[in-house]
Amino acid sequence: MARVKDLWWTSGEPKRKTKRHPDHGGNPKAARWLACWTAPDGRECTRAFPVKARAKKYAEDMEADARRGTYVEPAAARTTVREWCATWLAGYGTRRGTTVRQARVHVAQIEAEFGDLPLAAVRPSQVRSWCARLKEEGAAASYVYALHARLAQIMADAVHDGILVRSPCSRRTSPGAGKQRPYVATTAQVWALYDAMGERYRAAVLLAAFAGLRVAESCGLRVADVDFMRGVISPAVQYPDDELKTEVSRTPIPIPATLAAELSAQVATYPAETLLTNTWGQQLTPWTLERHVRSARAKVAGLPDGFRYHDLRHYFASLLIASGADVKTVQARLRHASAKTTLDTYAHLWPDRDESTRAAVEAVLVERAEQGRNQEEAR
């Protein structure tokens, strides 16, 4: 039960002055009143206050929190965002290297804004202001959304660990991911980019534009993962040699004989363990590949400055949709986890159905009108 103890006097009768009393050499400015309460694990915890009323209220509040299940240790409540981020990153380090590196970049931004604040001192209004300022400074909407999601993840883990009562992040503080239609190159632009790339790197264009591989998947693709006879690419790893994140990403991709022959010629010309290699015959890195794409895109009329290797994957999706493939087929070839992802990104590429729906309604109305005329004539 919550109680308050007087540190200057003993609790028994008759009361006597303790060594903390100013008359016995104690500091008269020291906190006199000791708030005592029972933690959820049964331990008795204490904290000293200069005013009795404050000590009593604090002890009662702590026990009330223990009963509600929102109890936080006083020492833990003083944990700063920077201290918790260090602990959080240590536990996050079990994930793949690229994932951890990305998390460290996000955490650096979070620490720069909130690092010195105690976790409980971060307010939703501060989170919203931070996101708004990042956008004003020119950060992409998707990047601001990713930073907010990382902060929300870190705060949620602090709640789960019992050092924070509630997270300041929610849907109300979320800045929104921002929606933009992907740039889809024309077939002529894809072939122009293919021609502008160095001969060693042209196969990379084929892998993205006609098989839908992502940049890390293309750079990690091993010769052993391609069945040239059957025409099947079986993605298994991404650069440098990490397993793909999901089972869906490992879905085999059927490719035509012409593409299989092009990839086989690449292996014959530049033999190595991986299908794509750099000038020295080593595994091609995503950064090197993107650099070559940037250099080549400047030579292709109409391609925007922000055109990336990943945009070739959008061309692959548009090619399938234009051929009449349905949503589930496109989802399977792009290896999306759900059809929702496919529709959210490419719904605008499917043929307009306005005329077909208009015709369907018109047919019903015309049929009704004809029935009315027939009844009138029968009379």
Side-chain angles (χ1 to χ4, degrees):
M1 182 176 178
R3 62 191 178 88
V4 176
K5 181 179 179 182
D6 188 348
L7 297 176
W8 288 7
W9 295 84
T10 61
S11 58
E13 294 293 342
K15 289 187 176 181
R16 293 185 177 87
K17 296 177 181 178
T18 67
K19 292 182 180 180
R20 294 176 181 266
H21 197 285
D23 293 348
H24 289 175
N27 183 356
K29 296 183 179 180
R32 173 180 177 180
W33 304 97
L34 190 67
C36 305
W37 69 93
T38 303
D41 58 2
R43 293 180 297 107
E44 183 175 77
C45 302
T46 60
R47 181 177 175 183
F49 291 86
V51 180
K52 183 177 181 179
R54 287 178 54 193
K56 183 179 180 181
K57 185 178 186 307
Y58 188 84
E60 291 173 348
D61 288 347
M62 295 302 283
E63 287 217 341
D65 287 345
R67 288 193 297 271
R68 287 193 296 262
T70 59
Y71 180 84
V72 176
E73 288 284 350
R78 294 191 291 272
T79 302
T80 65
V81 173
R82 180 173 286 104
E83 291 169 344
W84 174 243
C85 282
T87 302
W88 184 85
L89 278 173
Y92 199 72
T94 57
R95 289 163 174 77
R96 67 178 68 235
T98 53
T99 303
V100 175
R101 283 196 295 273
Q102 185 182 53
R104 290 187 184 280
V105 171
H106 292 166
V107 166
Q109 292 277 10
I110 292 169
E111 289 181 347
E113 181 69 20
F114 305 107
D116 296 330
L117 292 176
L119 285 168
V122 180
R123 297 285 180 258
S125 58
Q126 292 174 298
V127 176
R128 285 194 295 267
S129 297
W130 176 54
C131 293
R133 189 171 66 256
L134 287 172
K135 285 187 175 181
E136 290 175 359
E137 292 172 354
S142 58
Y143 183 62
V144 178
Y145 180 81
L147 286 175
H148 179 274
R150 184 71 67 188
L151 178 62
Q153 182 184 20
I154 291 171
M155 291 298 187
D157 285 348
V159 173
H160 183 71
D161 213 48
I163 63 174
L164 186 64
V165 175
R166 63 178 60 87
S167 171
C169 301
S170 66
R171 287 188 297 177
R172 290 187 176 185
T173 62
S174 177
K179 292 185 178 180
Q180 60 179 24
R181 292 186 174 183
Y183 180 83
V184 179
T186 65
T187 301
Q189 287 174 327
V190 169
W191 287 123
L193 185 71
Y194 174 88
D195 293 334
M197 294 280 282
E199 183 179 345
R200 180 185 286 271
Y201 307 109
R202 288 174 178 169
V205 175
L206 302 178
L207 289 174
F210 302 108
L213 265 63
R214 303 171 178 91
V215 62
E217 293 170 344
S218 293
C219 292
L221 185 66
R222 301 168 301 195
V223 175
D225 296 331
V226 183
D227 188 331
F228 299 99
M229 295 296 294
R230 294 174 53 239
V232 177
I233 295 176
S234 301
V237 297
Q238 64 180 14
Y239 180 87
D241 192 27
D242 296 333
E243 288 188 4
L244 297 178
K245 294 181 179 180
T246 65
E247 188 65 32
V248 174
S249 296
R250 291 187 282 273
T251 302
I253 305 168
I255 59 174
T258 304
L259 179 55
E262 289 283 351
L263 298 180
S264 179
Q266 171 80 7
V267 175
T269 306
Y270 307 103
E273 183 177 348
T274 57
L275 197 138
L276 299 179
T277 58
N278 59 22
T279 307
W280 300 275
Q282 301 168 335
Q283 182 181 19
L284 186 65
T285 68
W287 302 276
T288 302
L289 178 54
E290 289 286 11
R291 188 170 66 249
H292 282 279
V293 170
R294 288 194 296 270
S295 176
R297 79 186 177 201
K299 305 173 185 177
V300 179
L303 283 185
D305 292 338
F307 188 87
R308 307 165 301 156
Y309 182 79
H310 192 82
D311 291 319
L312 291 170
R313 179 174 156 88
H314 299 325
Y315 170 80
F316 177 61
S318 71
L319 185 64
L320 298 179
I321 293 170
S323 71
D326 58 30
V327 175
K328 295 300 291 183
T329 301
V330 177
Q331 174 199 346
R333 292 297 169 265
L334 292 174
R335 293 164 294 130
H336 283 157
S338 70
K340 181 180 183 302
T341 303
T342 308
L343 285 172
D344 286 347
T345 310
Y346 303 111
H348 65 287
L349 295 180
W350 262 276
D352 188 358
R353 300 298 184 187
D354 288 352
E355 287 304 320
S356 60
T357 55
R358 185 180 289 118
V361 175
E362 178 73 8
V364 174
L365 295 175
V366 169
E367 182 181 3
R368 172 64 176 175
E370 289 179 352
Q371 288 177 352
R373 284 194 297 270
N374 292 337
Q375 291 175 358
E376 189 68 27
E377 291 174 358
R379 293 173 186 171

